[in-house]
Amino acid sequence: MKKNKDAILISFFILGMLLVLSEITGNWISSIW
Amino acid sequence: MAKPKKPLKPNDRARKKRLEDGLAWITLGLLVICGIIGFNRSQTDLTGFQKELWPEAASFEATGYETILAKDDTNVTIGCISTGTQNGFGGPLKVAVALNSKGVIENIKVVEHRESPSWFDRVIGSDLIARLKGKSFRDPLQLEVDIDGITGATYTTEAIVMASKEATLEATRDILGHNVDPYLVQKRIEFGLPEISLLTLLVMAIVGVYKIPKRHQKTMRWILMLLGAALLGFTFNHPLTLVDINKLIMGYWPDVYNQIYWYILIFGIILIFLTTGKNTYCKYICPFGAVQECVGAMGRAKTAVSKKYNRVFHWTRRTIVLLAIMLALVYRNPGMSSYEVYGTLFNLLGTNFEVFFLSFVLAFALFIKRPWCNYLCPIPVIEHYARFIYKKLKIPFERFQRPKLISSEITNSTNA
C-alpha cells in the first residue's frame, strides 16, 4: 500500500517536473528567438 | 518490513543546518549576480525601427532621447516617432508610435516587452494595432471606451493602449506643438471591484485565522477558498504567480494608478506574513488551491507524503525555482520563467501543451491532496526562503534590542 502511494507520488513528481522544465525552456527559447 | 528511520544525532542535525544555511546564502549570491548581469544587458535601439514605422519618410532626425522627426525628400517634417512605456503582465512594455503632423497615429510597434510569448502572440495576432491606427490625440484612447479589449490578455492589451496614449500625448504636445487638454494627461487611481474583492478576501483571511472559533474555521476556509477561486481566479484572472514575485525582485513595479491590485496583493500578503508569521494566501485564498481541493473532495484525495523521497522532492523543486528566477533575472524578463498552469484554467485559453499540463495536475488532484501546491508550485519555495531571510534578519535585530531590555530592567529594579 505504502509502495503504491510512493509510486503515485514519484510518477506525479517526475512527470510534473518534466512538464515544468519543458514549459520554462519553451518560454525561454521563444523569448530569445 | 521497512526498518524504522533512526533519529538524527545532534551533530548530524547541526551539520544539516549548516549545509542548508550555506545553500541559502549561495542562493542569495547567485540571485544578486544574475540581477547584476541582467541589469547590464543592452537596451532597445529605436533607430532600428524608424524605417519600419515611417516607410514614406525620406530621412530621420533624432531630436532627443527616443524621439525622432520623420522628414520627406524636401526636408519637411511629416511626423514623428516617440515611445511610451507601461507595465504589462510580465514587466515594462515599450511601444514606438509614428504620428503624422496632425497628431494622428500612423503606425505602432511594440519594441520591447517581457510578456509570456504565447499571450503576447495572441495580442499581436489580433487586430488591436489596427484599431489603434488612425486614432488622434483628441480621442480617449482607453480600453472599453474607444478600444475593445482582448479576452484573456487584459494586462498586455492595457499596457499597449496606455503606452500608445502616453507616447501620442507627449509627442503631440512636446514635438508637434499642439495644445493638449490637461485632463487627458492627468492620471487617476483605478480602484474598483477587483481591488475591493482582494482587500475583503485578505481581511477575511486574517479574521478566519484569529477571530473565528476553531469549530467554524473549516467552514470559513471553504467559503474563502470558493470566493478566491470565483473572484481572483475565474473573474479577475489574477492569482499570485512567479511573475509577480519576479517583478517585485527586479523592481518592475507596475503603475500605481492603474495596477493598484498588484500592490494590494503583494504587500497585503507580505504584511500578513510579517504580522502573523502565517502564509494565509496559500491556505485560504489561492484560487488554484481551491480548485484542487474541490477536485480532491470528489476523488476523496488524501494527503500524500513520502518520508523516503520527501527531501529529494523538496530540493529538486527548490533548484528548479531558483533556475527559473535566475533565468528571469539574467534576461530582465519576469514573464520568461513563469510555468504556472492556472492561467489556462482561469482564462479558459491555452496551447495544447498547457491544457495537457493542467489536465495532468487535476487528474492527480483526484488522488493526492493539492499535488500542485505540495510538489510543483513555486510560491511555497519563496515562502520558505522568505522565512529563512526573516529569521536571519530577526537575530541581529533581537541582539540589538536585548541590551535595551536589560537596562530598562535595571532601572525598574532600582526604582523598586
Side-chain angles (χ1 to χ4, degrees), chain B residues 191-192 194-200 202 259-270:
Chain B
F191 194 89
E195 290 76 20
I196 294 168
S197 312
L198 178 60
L199 262 178
T200 315
L202 289 171
Q259 281 192 43
I260 199 161
Y261 182 99
W262 184 87
Y263 289 88
I264 300 172
L265 183 68
I266 293 285
F267 293 105
I269 293 168
I270 293 177

Side-chain angles (χ1 to χ4, degrees), chain A residues 6 10 12 23 27-28 32, chain B residues 306 309 331 336 338 353 364:
Chain A
D6 273 3
I10 292 167
F12 172 74
E23 177 79 5
N27 273 347
W28 177 31
I32 55 171
Chain B
S306 164
Y309 300 107
Y331 284 90
M336 183 187 266
S338 168
F353 176 82
F364 272 88

